[in-house]
């Protein structure tokens, strides 16, 4: 039997025996009965007028104690967003501390912030796995991030030959790779097919590898 497809970051819950997914929920969304989830405080939240960091963090901590909530995320930094960067950093650091304390791997939102994210990983001596979602960088970015033990997850940008990830994708070590649908309507299988094609490997080999990565992190 082939291992299931893994969709490491999505906003749409599907029920399918051949699919393992981590569905991202907002803190105000209750957890459905089955499946795997992630809860986090997105860096854009820091910008909302009524945002209360302490209350949100408390709420997050409660959500993370549920065994079906596998990961903390999305959390991270976004330099293209108008949210104050210092506030984003504070929010991210608090979530790094929570991830380490509760032993929840993190799913990262990173826009133009690789260097800051790596520096914070070092500063906090973070041991939990981090998965950078929606990755679309260059060969150099790949080396830098994987060199720090960060996993990279690639989504439907792989279906667009004009994107730089289309060329750099082959440089991602298979044991640090995930695939995702995020907000896309495209099925995860389509993304796996394209990934296998670009890597010149059989899709079943890719399924086995990514499922092994998932098992290694989340046991
Ligand atoms: Zn997302």
């Amino acid at each position: 039997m082939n291992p299931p497809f893994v969709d490491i970051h999505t906003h749409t819950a599907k029920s399918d025996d051949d699919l393992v997914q981590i569905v991202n929920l907002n803190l105000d969304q209750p957890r459905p009965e089955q499946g795997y989830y992630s809860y986090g405080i997105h860096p854009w939240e820091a910008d909302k007028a009524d945002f209360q960091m302490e209350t949100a963090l408390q709420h997050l901590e409660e959500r993370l104690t549920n065994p079906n909530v596998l990961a903390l995320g999305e959390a991270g930094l976004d330099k293209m967003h108008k949210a104050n960067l210092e506030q984003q950093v504070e929010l991210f650091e608090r979530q790094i501390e929570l991830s380490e304390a509760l032993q929840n791997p993190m799913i990262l939102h990173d826009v133009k912030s690789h260097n800051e994210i790596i520096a914070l990983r070092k500063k906090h001596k973070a041991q939990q796995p981090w998965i950078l979602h929606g990755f679309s960088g260059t060969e150099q970015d790949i080396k830098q991030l994987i060199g720090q033990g960060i996993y990279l997850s690639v989504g439907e940008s792989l279906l667009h030959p004009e994107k730089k990830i289309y060329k750099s994708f082959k440089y991602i070590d298979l044991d640090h790779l995930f695939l995702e649908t995020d907000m896309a309507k495209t099925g995860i299988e389509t993304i796996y097919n394209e990934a296998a094609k670009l890597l010149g490997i059989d899709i079943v080999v890719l399924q086995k590898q990514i499922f092994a990565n998932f098992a290694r992190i989340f046991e």
Side-chain angles (χ1 to χ4, degrees), residues 9 11 74 133 182:
H9 178 75
H11 296 262
E74 305 171 40
H133 105 83
D182 195 14

Side-chain angles (χ1 to χ4, degrees), residues 1 8-9 16 22 51 75 84 97 104 107 128 131-132 155:
M1 241 182 49
I8 207 73
H9 178 75
D16 180 345
I22 297 186
F51 180 65
N84 176 285
E97 288 166 3
N104 281 116
I107 294 172
Q128 284 303 307
I131 302 166
L132 198 162

Side-chain angles (χ1 to χ4, degrees), residues 9-11 24 42 74 107 109 133 180-183:
H9 178 75
T10 179
H11 296 262
N24 193 265
H42 198 282
E74 305 171 40
I107 294 172
H109 177 91
H133 105 83
E180 66 179 50
T181 57
D182 195 14
M183 302 280 198

Side-chain angles (χ1 to χ4, degrees), residues 141-157:
D141 297 326
I142 292 169
K143 293 207 165 117
Q144 191 192 10
L145 290 159
I146 292 184
Q148 296 303 321
I150 297 173
Y151 290 78
L152 303 177
S153 173
V154 182
E156 60 128 28
S157 58

Side-chain angles (χ1 to χ4, degrees), residues 14-62:
K14 284 183 186 165
S15 72
D16 180 345
D17 289 344
D18 292 329
L19 175 67
V20 173
Q21 47 172 197
I22 297 186
V23 181
N24 193 265
L25 296 175
N26 297 327
L27 284 178
D28 56 4
Q29 285 175 285
R31 183 186 65 81
E33 288 305 307
Q34 288 171 338
Y36 298 133
Y37 299 90
S38 62
Y39 281 108
I41 309 169
H42 198 282
W44 299 353
E45 292 289 319
D47 195 45
K48 290 186 181 157
D50 60 349
F51 180 65
Q52 303 255 358
M53 193 180 303
E54 297 308 323
T55 312
L57 285 164
Q58 248 175 38
H59 201 160
L60 174 61
E61 190 168 351
E62 283 161 28

